[in-house]
Amino acid sequence: MVATKGAIMSLLLDAYRMRDRIDMVVFRKSDAEILLLPTNSVSVASRLLQTLPTGGRTPLSAGLVKAF
């Protein structure tokens, strides 16, 4: 998970340089939740990413529906 969070931080920094906005949808247990609405703040996204718990099942379909 350390490598995954590192890759996500790299994507966040690239988005910031391109002036893109990002949002964060997390998949937990049997549901998905929007953790961060669209923003260009890397610091806010980074803070949320660092405290994001890991482990358990990943309900990919629920995450895709929530993102849509």
Side-chain angles (χ1 to χ4, degrees):
M1 204 58 198
V2 171
T4 300
K5 287 184 177 185
I8 293 170
M9 273 308 301
S10 177
L11 292 171
L12 289 172
L13 292 171
D14 286 346
Y16 177 76
R17 283 191 287 274
M18 300 297 287
R19 302 294 187 244
D20 290 337
R21 293 169 41 140
I22 56 100
D23 62 334
M24 197 176 303
V25 177
V26 295
F27 312 172
R28 294 182 193 162
K29 298 180 184 169
S30 62
D31 200 14
E33 170 187 357
I34 298 173
L35 191 62
L36 179 65
L37 293 174
T39 184
N40 57 3
S41 174
V42 174
S43 61
V44 171
S46 175
R47 218 171 322 125
L48 288 172
L49 185 62
Q50 289 173 3
T51 61
L52 186 65
T54 60
R57 296 173 34 104
T58 302
L60 180 59
S61 60
L64 293 174
V65 168
K66 183 66 77 171
F68 178 71

